[in-house]
């Protein structure tokens, strides 16, 4: 079965990767940081989180999926102080329950020092 690749939007300066790849009924979404529609990274955590969600929804939509199709989510944060805010925002963006399985890690750094969050995910595209 061939692998289908989904490229980054043209305005985003991305490293050498696909924003997502589809293999069979699984969609693997690369770690997505909080860049806005112009490729800029806002300073606040809430704004970066909102941009991550918009970008994940765009990738899912392009693949024919929705947030309800997410099976697994990995959240990377650079500040432990953002965990509570992330949980509150996450509940609204990825809900209502049941939520996807999730791992949340606080990491030392992400590729750009201004990045506060990055989320990667796996979605099921199986219908039926």
């Amino acid at each position: 079965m061939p692998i289908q690749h989904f490229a980054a939007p043209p305005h985003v300066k991305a490293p050498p990767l696909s924003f997502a790849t589809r293999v069979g009924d699984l969609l693997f979404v690369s770690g997505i940081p909080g860049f806005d529609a112009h490729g800029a990274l806002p300073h606040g955590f809430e704004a970066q989180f909102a941009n991550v969600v918009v970008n994940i929804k765009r990738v899912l939509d392009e693949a024919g999926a929705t947030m309800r199709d997410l099976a697994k989510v990995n959240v990377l944060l650079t500040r432990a102080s953002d965990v509570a805010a992330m949980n509150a925002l996450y509940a609204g963006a990825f809900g209502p329950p049941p939520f996807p399985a999730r791992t949340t890690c606080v990491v030392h750094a992400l590729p750009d020092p201004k990045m506060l969050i990055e989320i990667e995910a796996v979605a099921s595209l199986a219908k039926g």
Side-chain angles (χ1 to χ4, degrees):
M1 180 167 294
I3 298 172
Q4 181 180 3
H5 297 270
F6 297 85
H11 63 276
V12 174
K13 182 182 175 191
L17 55 78
S18 293
F19 256 36
T21 56
R22 178 181 182 167
V23 179
D25 288 337
L26 293 177
L27 181 72
F28 299 89
V29 180
S30 291
I32 303 222
F35 290 102
D36 67 17
H38 304 287
L41 193 62
H43 294 289
F45 178 80
E46 290 80 6
Q48 286 191 28
F49 182 91
N51 289 341
V52 170
V53 171
V54 165
N55 289 323
I56 288 175
K57 285 181 178 180
R58 184 198 57 77
V59 171
L60 291 171
D61 184 59
E62 188 177 338
T66 70
M67 297 291 271
R68 300 307 298 165
D69 296 313
L70 291 173
K72 177 71 166 98
V73 175
N74 294 324
V75 179
L76 304 175
L77 303 172
T78 59
R79 303 183 306 203
S81 60
D82 289 327
V83 171
M86 190 278 300
N87 280 328
L89 294 166
Y90 184 95
F94 290 80
F99 296 101
R102 185 183 95 193
T103 300
T104 302
C105 297
V106 177
V107 298
H108 177 70
L110 290 167
D112 182 321
K114 295 178 287 200
M115 288 179 188
L116 303 175
I117 185 170
E118 184 174 276
I119 297 178
E120 65 179 28
V122 178
S124 172
L125 302 178
K127 302 298 179 200

